[in-house]
Amino acid sequence: MHASYQGATTRGATRFSVMTDIVPADVERAVKALIAAERTNLGIEVSIPVIYADGQLTSIVVEVEDGAFLVHDAGEAAMRLSSLGIPLKRVDHVAEIVARFRCNFINGRVTSRADSISGIGVVASLVANASRSVADLAHEVRRQTETEFRSVVSDRLREAIGSRVRENQEFKGRSGRRYRIPALILDRTQAHPTHFVSALATRQTVPLSVSMFFDLRGAHPNVENDAIYDDSSDFRDEDRALLASISTVIGLMEVPLKFRAMVGV
């Protein structure tokens, strides 16, 4: 590559200059460098320059089946959802999504067919994009799961301590950053917060809660931090230990009893 970047800082902003002697062949080589094929026990596996959310290139498998070329993702998209604790039965529009790319979802695999060698390139690209789109459903499902769990937590808190519960209130941390707290508990006069409460549906939200609580503790040292997590989810001992370093960790099933005792109801 002949392109190079040089950063220059002006008034806090960074500018980049690009050499202009780049030619089409340079770009073509750079993109082709991402593509590699090898024979595996599944068939011919080829990397495609379509990238999952974690930065990994998609890999597509090509097999010969019934006189045509079967192209599929070896179940990678489904495995990515499963690894996050998301069963496919929770995602009812996978087939609709892959159909947009002229693909099918069969036996947990995004799949399509090419009738000739020359057609494999387009079909492989379609399968790669369909697989990435299915894997991206994890973010949608996670948002839905988190929203549903926050609602459940708020309901449990209200059942336990009544009108002293508030939702989605904004508070500033020591850094100056503002946080929208999933739930908080007010004192008996309902004038000041006594507890900041986070609702964690999955373990992926642990680092965000720890960071938020640490920042809030610096600005509100007299307010307790409480992390309520889904007992039935994928939390590990190390997740609870990390949360415990900055908050009181409470399983959803424990909420009524513990909060009644904590706030003296």
Side-chain angles (χ1 to χ4, degrees):
M1 292 289 290
H2 295 295
S4 65
Y5 295 84
Q6 296 177 341
T9 302
T10 304
R11 294 183 180 179
T14 301
R15 298 180 303 172
F16 294 94
S17 60
V18 183
M19 294 180 64
T20 58
D21 61 342
I22 190 170
V23 296
D26 292 331
V27 177
E28 183 176 341
R29 277 193 296 271
V31 175
K32 284 183 175 179
L34 299 175
I35 302 172
E38 62 176 344
R39 187 178 296 279
T40 69
N41 60 340
L42 296 176
I44 304 299
E45 185 172 344
V46 56
S47 60
I48 305 291
V50 174
I51 300 177
Y52 291 112
D54 63 359
Q56 178 180 325
L57 287 171
T58 56
S59 290
I60 299 306
V61 175
V62 181
E63 304 178 61
V64 177
E65 182 179 274
D66 299 330
F69 298 99
L70 177 66
V71 184
H72 60 83
D73 73 340
E76 177 67 23
M79 288 187 288
R80 284 173 172 268
L81 293 178
S82 178
S83 69
L84 295 173
I86 302 171
L88 286 174
K89 63 183 180 182
R90 283 211 59 186
V91 188
D92 55 8
H93 52 303
V94 170
E96 175 188 338
I97 288 174
V98 301
R100 298 172 192 165
F101 298 92
R102 305 205 300 270
C103 296
N104 298 299
F105 194 72
I106 302 173
N107 296 326
R109 302 191 308 189
V110 177
T111 181
S112 189
R113 288 179 176 271
D115 296 326
S116 64
I117 287 287
S118 61
I120 289 177
V122 171
V123 173
S125 295
L126 290 170
V127 171
N129 279 280
S131 181
R132 194 273 314 279
S133 296
V134 171
D136 283 349
L137 287 172
H139 306 291
E140 175 185 330
V141 173
R142 188 181 298 161
R143 283 194 296 270
Q144 292 174 348
T145 300
E146 290 169 359
T147 300
E148 293 167 0
F149 188 69
R150 286 186 178 196
S151 179
V152 170
V153 167
S154 295
D155 289 344
R156 293 287 179 89
L157 288 172
R158 284 198 185 87
E159 290 170 6
I161 54 180
S163 61
R164 290 166 62 180
V165 178
R166 297 290 186 273
E167 297 177 66
N168 298 318
Q169 299 290 307
E170 191 175 83
F171 284 82
K172 186 185 292 186
R174 185 175 183 179
S175 69
R177 180 176 178 178
R178 294 182 178 275
Y179 300 90
R180 194 163 291 280
I181 315 298
L184 61 87
I185 299 171
L186 300 175
D187 62 11
R188 291 181 182 275
T189 66
Q190 299 189 22
H192 305 286
T194 60
H195 294 254
F196 291 138
V197 181
S198 68
L200 296 89
T202 64
R203 64 187 305 265
Q204 282 72 32
T205 56
V206 170
L208 291 175
S209 285
V210 171
S211 175
M212 177 185 74
F213 279 150
F214 182 82
D215 200 13
L216 290 172
R217 174 66 56 82
H220 308 276
N222 296 322
V223 179
E224 297 293 329
N225 293 329
D226 300 306
I228 299 177
Y229 71 96
D230 187 351
D231 313 73
S232 63
S233 191
D234 57 347
F235 288 88
R236 302 173 183 173
D237 289 341
E238 55 265 37
D239 300 321
R240 286 183 281 270
L242 183 57
L243 288 166
S245 68
I246 193 65
S247 62
T248 300
V249 184
I250 305 168
L252 181 63
M253 299 295 291
E254 304 173 281
V255 167
L257 182 61
K258 286 207 170 185
F259 272 93
R260 286 192 185 107
M262 288 164 63
V263 300
V265 174

